[in-house]
Amino acid sequence: MSPASVTALATDGKDVFEIDLKTAAILRTVKLDRRSCQSADFSSDGQSIAVSQGRDVIIYDTAEGQVKTKIQVGNDLQWCVRFTPDGERLLTGARGVFHVFERKSGKKIVSLSVGQPLYVQTMAIDAQSQRAAVIPDSAGQTLRVFRLPTNEPK
């Protein structure tokens, strides 16, 4: 994506589209994977996209669609993925827990219980990448806020 252009990146989890915001035309399509996707998130620099596909989270390069990192999270579906704004970490939401990974290596930093056995389907991260707000159910009746750990694996 050119810094001078007026474009945006979008995804359906299977392809990445570069869209001209003035004309709504698709300028470029990058193929990712044909498997179903629960969630997808672009890194703040637009160079990576994380896609949750079942129990795996795959980080792709948005320019070519090449796999950068594949994270095998565990036994539960990963319903939500979010990059931290600083680009250093990736959060995934599963049943009753969310995981924090180092973005580049895919190493797990920590897993944190959300106190309920329901799937984490929504997450938001503050601009300083220090706190995450997590909603552990689809009805959105409970909001939990966590202080995020640094990139030191535990």
Side-chain angles (χ1 to χ4, degrees):
M1 188 164 70
S2 167
S5 65
V6 182
T7 63
L9 295 175
T11 188
D12 61 359
K14 296 180 181 182
D15 299 309
V16 172
F17 307 98
E18 183 175 8
I19 301 169
D20 183 315
L21 294 177
K22 291 182 179 178
T23 65
I26 296 175
L27 302 175
R28 179 174 62 102
T29 301
V30 177
K31 300 284 184 201
L32 298 178
D33 197 326
R34 301 318 303 168
R35 293 188 294 164
S36 65
C37 162
Q38 283 75 35
S39 180
D41 190 38
F42 288 101
S43 61
S44 58
D45 61 10
Q47 294 181 8
S48 300
I49 182 172
V51 177
S52 63
Q53 296 176 321
R55 294 167 177 86
D56 298 330
V57 174
I58 302 170
I59 301 174
Y60 295 94
D61 168 75
T62 56
E64 302 296 327
Q66 298 298 316
V67 174
K68 288 182 168 185
T69 307
K70 183 174 180 178
I71 303 169
Q72 295 177 329
V73 180
N75 296 327
D76 286 321
L77 293 175
Q78 302 303 302
W79 281 100
C80 187
V81 293
R82 294 288 176 270
F83 284 105
T84 56
D86 65 9
E88 297 295 319
R89 291 160 287 171
L90 177 73
L91 281 61
T92 69
R95 185 174 7 143
V97 66
F98 77 97
H99 308 284
V100 181
F101 295 91
E102 186 179 62
R103 174 186 171 183
K104 290 181 183 173
S105 70
K107 290 182 183 176
K108 187 184 292 185
I109 298 170
V110 70
S111 295
L112 298 168
S113 172
V114 297
Q116 293 181 327
L118 302 170
Y119 282 102
V120 173
Q121 295 183 13
T122 305
M123 290 189 283
I125 303 164
D126 73 325
Q128 293 76 33
S129 301
Q130 295 177 350
R131 291 178 190 81
V134 178
I135 299 176
D137 59 54
S138 59
Q141 298 171 348
T142 305
L143 173 69
R144 306 234 189 244
V145 178
F146 294 85
R147 184 175 303 278
L148 294 175
T150 61
N151 287 10
E152 310 277 324
K154 294 181 180 179

